């Protein structure tokens, strides 16, 4: 695909994301020759920095680029750093952008970037609309001389209402086709491969429904706690931080109907339909029975003391924010009627892993004796780490009789000859630069996800009979979560 000459203006350029993800992503694109010939990055934020300071911070002295720089020719590093610039917005993002505009125009002329601009919003989310408005006031959103695009970081909204308001607010200044809502899970190769696994193999898709699938399980675990983000996390929680966005994206890809083509709108239309078909939990009993929340408590891992969530910096000592969420739900459509979905996400788990497990129904009639307790076929899609796909199926135990044992057929991405796998942000940035929104969330998609999540959040907030469990760091969450999945086996705890 063609990548037009363009400029990338990053709002919030002194923040962590720019140094940790955006600049390294761009640097990789630069090394791989994917950046357009005429390209400029203009960082903007409230810190007082010169262009040189910015280059030092995000390139020359950046811990995130240290190793890459060592391996790259000096001239290549310099060529990259030389197109990075910085503009101090002063005290406030809510200000007159005329000076910014002047700078953009000067750089456009200097580097001949032809007026195509991506604005990347990596500011606190409360400022997204403010920045969009100020861009519009300075007439920096007009498409007259080159296209304009807006990339919006997560979190997109705090609830259904705030997400709707944000969509409305942004739509006042930018059209939907100009807006790219990032969800970095969509940038992961293995997540994209879900579409390919389902829709390019005749061995899976015919079985991909309520007739053959018993239940679907998705686990997202992280071994870290809230790290230095206690302040942010305490206002968010696992449901907002991971479930509403990343996990529901995975759900939509598992649930969706085949799109009629690989076009962004066709794929996203199907994803929206999938999200809209999730059965919204309305009454308290249903919410009580199907949702579990928990917090990690102070404990010891290998002799090291680990703080409990409520003791973390920036966290309210009486906090009721969940660091673990497990949700059981159904999908109300023809394909999935009656098939339960179990999705959980948590911090401070035994390991970092994300996987989707499709549990197939057992054969209707058993004629052989199984040696283990599991009689079902499983398809395990490992999103990360050890990216790959595992199929579990029955084989005969050698010897007399017909004893059956489960065997594994295991594919690892690392076995592919292709070694250059793009990082999520790298891939997503390149897509936006090329105007491909397939891997970005559309307004209606984000709202549909919130529609499902909102009642759970409200119920949890109400505190009425809402259980909050504790779990020690390094275990697979509260034991009570097993009740949720009861009758459908047990959670598959990867690595156990
Ligand atoms: C982010 C969350 O969106 O995703 C973090 O805010 C979380 O809390 C991270 O750690 C996980 O991403 P990944 O790619 O490491 O699974």
């Amino acid at each position: 695909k063609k990548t037009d000459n363009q400029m990338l203006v990053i709002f919030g350029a002194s923040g962590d994301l720019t140094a940790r993800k955006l600049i390294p992503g761009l640097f990789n694109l630069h090394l791989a020759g994917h950046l357009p010939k005429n390209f400029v990055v203009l960082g903007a934020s409230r810190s007082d920095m010169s262009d040189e300071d910015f280059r030092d911070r995000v390139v020359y002295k950046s811990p995130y680029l240290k190793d890459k720089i060592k391996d790259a020719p000096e001239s290549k590093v310099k060529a990259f750093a030389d197109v990075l610039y910085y503009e101090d917005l002063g005290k406030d993002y809510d200000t007159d952008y005329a000076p910014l505009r002047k700078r953009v125009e000067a750089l456009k002329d200097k580097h001949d970037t032809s007026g195509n601009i991506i604005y990347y919003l990596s500011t606190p989310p409360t400022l997204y609309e403010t920045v969009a408005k100020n861009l519009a006031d300075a007439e920096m959103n007009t498409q007259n001389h080159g296209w304009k695009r807006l990339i919006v970081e997560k979190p997109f909204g705090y609830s259904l209402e705030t997400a709707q308001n944000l969509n409305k607010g942004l739509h006042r200044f930018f059209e939907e086709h100009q807006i790219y809502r990032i969800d970095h899970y969509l940038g992961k190769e293995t997540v994209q491969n879900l579409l390919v696994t389902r829709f390019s193999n005749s061995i899976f898709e015919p079985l991909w429904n309520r007739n053959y699938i018993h239940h679907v399980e998705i686990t997202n675990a992280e071994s870290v706690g809230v790290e230095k983000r206690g302040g942010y996390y305490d206002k968010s929680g696992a449901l907002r931080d991971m479930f509403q966005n990343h996990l529901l994206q995975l759900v939509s890809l598992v649930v969706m109907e085949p799109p009629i083509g690989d076009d962004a709108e066709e794929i996203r239309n199907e994803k929206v339909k999938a999200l809209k078909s999730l059965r919204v939990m309305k009454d308290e009993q249903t919410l009580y029975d199907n949702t579990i929340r928990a917090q990690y408590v102070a404990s010891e891992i290998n002799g090291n003391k680990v703080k409990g969530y409520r003791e973390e910096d920036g966290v309210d000592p009486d906090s009721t924010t969940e660091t673990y969420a497990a949700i059981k739900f159904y999908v109300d459509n023809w394909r999935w009627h009656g098939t339960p979905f179990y999705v959980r996400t948590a911090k401070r788990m035994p390991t970092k892993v994300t996987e989707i497990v499709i549990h197939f129904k057992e054969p209707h009639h058993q004629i052989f004796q199984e040696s283990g307790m599991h009689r079902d076929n499983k398809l395990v899609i490992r999103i990360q780490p050890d990216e790959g796909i595992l199929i579990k199926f029955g084989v005969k135990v050698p010897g007399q009789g017909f004893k059956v044992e489960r065997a594994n057929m295991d594919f690892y991405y690392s076995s592919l000859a292709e070694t250059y796998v793009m990082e999520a942000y790298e891939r997503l940035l390149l897509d936006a630069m090329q105007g491909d929104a397939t891997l970005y969330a559309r307004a209606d998609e984000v709202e549909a996800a919130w529609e499902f999540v909102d009642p759970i959040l409200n119920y949890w907030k109400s505190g009425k009979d809402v259980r909050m469990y504790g779990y020690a760091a390094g275990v697979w969450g509260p034991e009570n979560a097993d009740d949720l999945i009861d009758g459908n086996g047990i959670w598959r705890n990867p690595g156990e």
Side-chain angles (χ1 to χ4, degrees), residues 323-334:
T323 61
Y324 174 104
I327 314 287
K328 173 185 179 184
F329 59 89
Y330 290 92
V331 181
D332 280 334
N333 65 16
W334 194 267

Side-chain angles (χ1 to χ4, degrees), residues 4 41 63 71 77 197 205 214 225 232 238 249 332 385 442 466-467:
D4 298 333
V41 175
D71 298 339
V77 179
T197 302
E205 195 48 27
H214 189 271
Y232 150 77
Q249 284 292 339
D332 280 334
R442 216 166 57 186
V466 187
R467 302 158 292 179

Side-chain angles (χ1 to χ4, degrees), residues 28-101:
N28 285 347
L29 290 173
H30 167 69
L31 292 181
H34 290 312
L35 290 182
K37 189 162 153 281
N38 302 343
F39 180 68
V40 165
V41 175
L42 175 60
S45 68
R46 292 173 294 198
S47 306
D48 179 15
M49 270 192 285
S50 65
D51 294 338
E52 272 65 42
D53 295 338
F54 183 54
R55 290 170 190 170
D56 276 347
R57 181 191 178 100
V58 297
V59 182
Y60 294 118
K61 294 184 183 157
S62 163
Y64 306 107
L65 275 191
K66 213 166 117 207
D67 294 341
K68 283 200 181 111
I69 286 182
K70 252 197 303 188
D71 298 339
E74 221 180 296
S75 59
K76 278 253 171 199
V77 179
K78 186 172 181 312
F80 178 73
D82 281 354
V83 296
L84 306 186
Y85 296 88
Y86 181 79
E87 177 77 12
D88 180 3
L89 290 174
K91 281 201 297 296
D92 202 343
Y93 281 98
D94 193 7
T95 181
D96 180 4
Y97 286 3
L100 179 69
R101 180 181 169 151

